[in-house]
Amino acid sequence: MGLIGLAASAHAQQYSVTLLQAAGFDETDTYGLSGSTQVGEGKGAATGGNPHAVIWSGTSASAVDLHPAGYTSSTIYAASGNLQAGYGFGPSTGNANHALLWSGTAASVVDLHPAGLIGSYTYGILGTAVIGYGYAGVTGSANHALLWTGGTAASALDLHPAGWTSSVGWGISSTSQVGYGASGATQNRNHALLWHGTSTVVDLNSAGLIQSEAYAASSDTQVGSGSGSATGNNKHALLWRGTAASAVDLNPAGFTESDARATSETMQVGYAISASTNVSHAMAWSGSAASNIDLHSYLAGLPVSMISSQANSVDSNGNIVGHGIDAQGNEYGLLWTFASAAVPEPGSPGLLALGIGLILVIKIKEK
């Protein structure tokens, strides 16, 4: 192995994992994070088996139930600063799902549901801008991607592109929004879509794909998944940079299917299904299939044995949230905290020792 290859291998990425369970909840899931907080849902006997919106500050003991009065269920999917976005259902909404916005407490909840719709959801937030979708009523019963720009129901903008049958908004960055839509031209199959506000929409479905969906955006990148002849008709995680032609297949070797659910400036996260075990492993990438990190391998030291896992969101520091599933099918919220392993200077004794160690490992494996 040459020096350049050896140095690259030394840039190991290490994670410590925290179980984000909470008293009173039998199951939890974490969908988003912002700064020192993580968001998602929890459910158990105390909640009547219904999900309650939950926010954490890095530990199980820090969990705060944000479930608002008058609702049967609630979920938070994303956070930005001191704001959290999701949706809820119950008597207060006429027993239909309504897009919701919180600012750290159950009492702070704001109903973002626009007039004229039956149901609405939010999945992404940046500052006070929120992305999601609504359906029925003024949309003619179809899903329409929606962008809220001011933290109120009245601030909702309809992103639904002309000529499309349905559309869903899912992720948001400082310059764009992503999701997916279907039309007669797509044979009513979903195509990943990229918006720049209400002005333009770009179909990200690339050659060789019959369907695709985008879930997150950051700066000039978008992530999601697609399937077709180009992927062996299996779902593969995809990375785009603003055009269909820019699509990069992130599916790792040894895995049959994958999906990218979130992106930061340099990382993408989601899951991949192992070809040998047929179970889902939380996965991280840095722009290519070969860059994959199997995050499931960091779960061995937890007090609960996880048979599968998924990553749902990543921040600019490389911290990741998602969930693991035990043999009984119970879900547990997880936080992977990132720390770069120390890298010896080229030519240093540490690097030499690392090289010798790698050679010994190689020799052992050859026997």
Side-chain angles (χ1 to χ4, degrees):
M1 180 180 290
L3 182 61
I4 293 176
L6 182 59
S9 299
H11 283 278
Q13 294 181 339
Q14 302 294 326
Y15 287 89
S16 60
V17 182
T18 303
L19 190 66
L20 293 181
Q21 205 60 0
F25 296 107
D26 299 324
E27 296 187 64
T28 53
D29 203 342
T30 44
Y31 298 117
L33 72 168
S34 178
S36 61
T37 64
Q38 305 82 40
V39 296
E41 66 180 27
K43 62 183 178 181
T47 71
N50 296 311
H52 278 200
V54 178
I55 186 170
W56 293 265
S57 299
T59 66
S60 291
S62 67
V64 177
D65 190 336
L66 297 191
H67 185 69
Y71 287 76
T72 304
S73 65
S74 59
T75 296
I76 299 175
Y77 263 91
S80 180
N82 67 339
L83 298 176
Q84 303 85 37
Y87 56 86
F89 169 98
S92 293
T93 67
N95 290 322
N97 281 309
H98 278 199
L100 299 177
L101 181 68
W102 291 262
S103 54
T105 66
S108 69
V109 71
V110 175
D111 190 336
L112 295 180
H113 185 71
L117 298 181
I118 292 178
S120 57
Y121 301 80
T122 60
Y123 291 106
I125 183 171
L126 183 64
T128 58
V130 179
I131 186 77
Y133 74 97
Y135 63 90
V138 296
T139 71
S141 80
N143 294 332
H144 277 205
L146 299 175
L147 173 65
W148 289 264
T149 59
T152 65
S155 69
L157 302 173
D158 192 338
L159 297 183
H160 185 69
W164 292 73
T165 306
S166 65
S167 60
V168 169
W170 204 280
I172 188 168
S173 75
S174 59
T175 59
S176 63
Q177 305 82 36
V178 296
Y180 51 87
S183 70
T186 71
Q187 299 181 330
N188 290 319
R189 295 188 176 99
N190 287 328
H191 278 200
L193 297 178
L194 168 65
W195 290 269
H196 298 283
T198 57
S199 57
T200 60
V201 64
V202 178
D203 187 340
L204 294 178
N205 197 77
S206 55
L209 299 180
I210 61 172
Q211 61 185 23
S212 56
E213 298 178 348
Y215 297 112
S218 178
S219 186
D220 65 340
T221 64
Q222 305 84 39
V223 296
S225 59
S227 62
S229 59
T231 66
N233 294 316
N234 292 320
K235 181 168 66 173
H236 281 194
L238 299 174
L239 168 68
W240 296 272
R241 295 189 182 278
T243 66
S246 68
V248 175
D249 190 333
L250 297 179
N251 194 72
F255 292 83
T256 56
E257 295 190 4
S258 54
D259 200 352
R261 307 296 297 188
T263 180
S264 66
E265 296 299 317
T266 58
M267 293 184 66
Q268 305 82 42
V269 300
Y271 67 88
I273 298 176
S274 169
S276 59
T277 63
N278 200 36
V279 298
S280 172
H281 285 202
M283 195 69 59
W285 299 267
S286 53
S288 68
S291 68
N292 73 89
I293 303 170
D294 189 341
L295 297 171
H296 190 81
S297 64
Y298 292 94
L299 306 184
L302 294 178
V304 179
S305 178
M306 306 294 181
I307 64 169
S308 66
S309 58
Q310 174 175 320
N312 292 323
S313 190
V314 58
D315 67 16
S316 59
N317 295 316
N319 302 311
I320 297 164
V321 294
H323 67 258
I325 300 177
D326 67 15
Q328 288 71 47
N330 299 311
E331 291 190 357
Y332 300 83
L334 299 173
L335 168 64
W336 288 264
T337 302
F338 174 82
S340 294
V343 180
E345 292 296 326
S348 70
L351 185 56
L352 179 60
L354 177 61
I356 294 170
L358 287 172
I359 292 169
L360 288 173
V361 170
I362 293 168
K363 290 297 183 182
I364 290 168
K365 288 183 176 179
E366 287 175 350
K367 289 183 180 180

